[in-house]
Amino acid sequence: MKNKKFKGISTTTLHTANKENDNFSHTTPIYATSTFTFDSTNEGMERFLGKDKTRIYSRWGNPTFVAAEKTIEALEAHGLTNEKGEPLELKALLHSSGQAAMSTLFLSNLSAGDTLVSHFSLYGGTQELMQKILAEAGIKTILMDVRDLKSLEKTIQENTGIKLIHLETPANPTLQCVDIEAICTLSHKHGIKVSVDNTVATPYLQQPFALGADFVFHSATKFLNGHGSALNGVLLGKDLAFMQAKVWKWHVLLGGNSNAFDSYLLIQGMKTLEIRMDRHCSNAAKVAAFLDKHPAIEKVNYTGLASHPDHAIAKKQMKQHAPLISFELKGGIEAGKKFIDALEVCTRAVSLGTVDTLVSHPASMTHYGIPREERIKYGITDGLIRMSVGIENFEDLESDLTQALAKI
Ligand SMILES: *Cc1c(COP(=O)(O)O)cnc(C)c1O
């Protein structure tokens, strides 16, 4: 299937996934099947030998997964060209979760004896995967402040086994941002590949392939799905031969495939990505401004505030500031607990990127598995509260925050 290129993001998310069926269904059918039939042994052999192995066995691929993959490829490649000036072609592989896609990314690029470098502020699950699973497989991880390019270059020169630099920008939950383009230029000079976790920004706000990235990762569970209705992860690459020969093999043999129902929910969710993000982003700017001038609040982390240390990088590489905020109350952890318990509109839950506002406490929830001294060093203090700003009417968020802050 040749995908049309559309001028806008919403047209892309509405019209890319729609052709994976032959029964005139308006929405993408849920192909609830483990296997696919062959009319003859010859046809079976042809499908096995062919390039497209998505109609053989669902661990290898399935038309519903393909429809979601095509949409995400179109989003990450939107408006971009390759070195020859042709539209950029990407390969996306849909996984059962972000963690599954991340496992495929790391294990297909690294083997025992290799080293991975990453910025020290990371999603908790990513850091645990590096330090608990990769470490046992003989893959070393160096966590450092990669915003310091001089010290990154020194690290590269001193460690010959570095094969991959993994970036998460903006990082969850500190909102620290790293300069994707500068790091790609430096890494490529040393023959090192770069992967970018684009979960918090989404392809609507930031396109890492335009800045030189080799791989892009999403927990599609978050803003891409947008409604908190399913888990999915996606790994995209621009080296199509490497994706087909190597990454696909790891994906299929590790068994991290998605399922048709969650893929369907993702496809439906992505249709409103652009209009959701515009509202998420404008609400987040208003919430951050409100929190920033509130007397009970010590500090607000939001890349849209000029006081955020990475404000300039965020502005340079994102179209708008991502709708994730974290903040600390002057009263520390006790005040934080009272505040969270007093909320009446915002939802108390981990995860992010759902249409409603989610509030969580990283130290006791998402980053519980990271040793205390370590997480404090990375900016995840005991009293830090994280807010994924939803698309509610701002007036309701403002009155909820006002009443909850009055109770601490
Ligand atoms: C949630 C998340 C992940 C992990 O994704 P799952 O879908 O939960 O497996 C990875 N990175 C970031 C930034 C996330 O927010």
Side-chain angles (χ1 to χ4, degrees):
M1 181 186 64
K2 192 84 192 136
N3 272 307
K4 276 209 209 99
K5 307 283 175 203
F6 299 106
K7 290 194 183 78
I9 293 294
S10 288
T11 323
T12 302
T13 57
L14 289 168
H15 293 288
T16 303
N18 58 0
K19 295 293 182 302
E20 294 296 324
N21 75 84
D22 35 28
N23 283 317
F24 312 103
S25 168
H26 176 217
T27 56
T28 307
I30 298 169
Y31 283 90
T33 183
S34 56
T35 196
F36 296 84
T37 60
F38 310 125
D39 280 344
S40 64
T41 46
N42 270 347
E43 195 196 306
M45 198 172 71
E46 273 166 29
R47 251 184 269 166
F48 267 90
L49 295 175
K51 269 196 165 179
D52 178 13
K53 294 189 172 55
T54 58
R55 284 164 186 81
I56 296 174
Y57 185 59
S58 279
R59 178 155 47 74
W60 293 25
N62 169 302
T64 318
F65 312 171
V66 171
E69 288 168 347
K70 296 274 178 222
T71 304
I72 301 168
E73 286 165 9
L75 282 173
E76 283 293 352
H78 191 258
L80 308 185
T81 50
N82 63 17
E83 311 79 56
K84 292 182 205 141
E86 298 156 347
L88 181 67
E89 247 194 277
L90 299 172
K91 175 67 193 152
L93 289 170
L94 193 68
H95 289 69
S96 56
S97 67
Q99 287 301 114
M102 193 74 86
S103 304
T104 299
L105 166 69
F106 291 153
L107 294 173
S108 61
N109 277 284
L110 301 157
S111 38
D114 290 342
T115 301
L116 167 69
V117 173
S118 194
H119 185 62
F120 56 33
S121 177
L122 280 174
Y123 175 71
T126 305
Q127 189 176 338
E128 287 192 67
L129 179 63
M130 291 169 172
Q131 296 180 329
K132 296 183 177 161
I133 309 293
L134 298 186
E136 281 204 30
I139 299 160
K140 185 176 143 194
T141 301
I142 299 174
L143 294 181
M144 59 180 293
D145 191 341
V146 299
R147 290 171 299 183
D148 180 348
L149 290 176
K150 282 217 173 68
S151 107
L152 176 61
E153 181 144 43
K154 191 160 167 274
T155 302
I156 292 173
Q157 283 158 350
E158 287 169 359
N159 295 272
T160 49
I162 299 173
K163 294 280 161 61
L164 185 71
I165 297 186
H166 179 71
L167 309 176
E168 181 182 316
T169 182
N172 170 11
T174 59
L175 282 312
Q176 289 177 6
C177 296
V178 299
D179 187 331
I180 300 173
E181 193 167 30
I183 291 178
C184 287
T185 305
L186 173 64
S187 307
H188 292 159
K189 208 170 77 186
H190 294 274
I192 300 167
K193 290 183 184 176
V194 179
S195 54
V196 178
D197 182 337
N198 204 24
T199 301
V200 173
T202 81
Y204 177 48
L205 303 186
Q206 173 173 279
Q207 288 175 288
F209 287 113
L211 305 168
D214 299 285
F215 302 100
V216 170
F217 161 93
H218 284 277
S219 166
T221 312
K222 313 293 167 58
F223 289 108
L224 288 181
N225 170 296
H227 300 74
S229 57
L231 274 91
N232 270 302
V234 69
L235 175 60
L236 298 108
K238 65 181 177 192
D239 180 344
L240 302 182
F242 183 79
M243 289 302 287
Q244 197 182 347
K246 185 113 196 231
V247 182
W248 188 76
K249 191 163 67 187
W250 258 255
H251 165 59
V252 162
L253 294 175
L254 288 170
N257 56 278
S258 185
N259 67 78
F261 186 56
D262 285 3
S263 308
Y264 167 82
L265 292 171
L266 172 61
I267 293 163
Q268 293 303 101
M270 286 192 291
K271 290 181 181 176
T272 53
L273 178 72
E274 180 179 18
I275 56 167
R276 276 191 285 109
M277 290 310 287
D278 282 340
R279 175 72 162 247
H280 279 294
C281 293
S282 67
N283 270 356
K286 291 180 200 162
V287 168
F290 168 86
L291 294 173
D292 197 41
K293 59 178 194 301
H294 197 285
I297 291 179
E298 177 74 41
K299 183 184 175 203
V300 179
N301 300 312
Y302 169 65
T303 65
L305 292 174
S307 59
H308 190 280
D310 303 323
H311 175 68
I313 297 172
K315 233 172 121 176
K316 187 178 95 170
Q317 64 191 15
M318 290 196 290
K319 290 195 187 89
Q320 298 182 54
H321 294 284
L324 197 64
I325 295 174
S326 59
F327 59 95
E328 231 159 308
L329 294 170
K330 286 190 179 140
I333 185 143
E334 283 313 312
K337 276 182 168 165
K338 278 193 207 151
F339 165 77
I340 293 179
D341 291 345
L343 291 167
E344 290 167 358
V345 175
C346 300
T347 308
R348 281 171 288 273
V350 293
S351 197
L352 58 96
T354 63
V355 280
D356 55 330
T357 297
L358 301 184
V359 176
S360 66
H361 178 235
S364 68
M365 299 173 183
T366 48
H367 289 68
Y368 181 70
I370 313 291
R372 184 170 180 270
E373 319 75 71
E374 214 173 312
R375 79 170 148 71
I376 288 175
K377 206 167 68 193
Y378 305 152
I380 303 158
T381 50
D382 292 340
L384 192 75
I385 292 167
R386 193 192 70 186
M387 218 174 146
S388 166
V389 181
I391 65 169
E392 292 93 345
N393 301 95
F394 173 68
E395 300 70 38
D396 289 309
L397 293 178
E398 187 180 34
S399 51
D400 193 28
L401 296 173
T402 304
Q403 66 80 22
L405 285 166
K407 292 200 178 116
I408 60 176

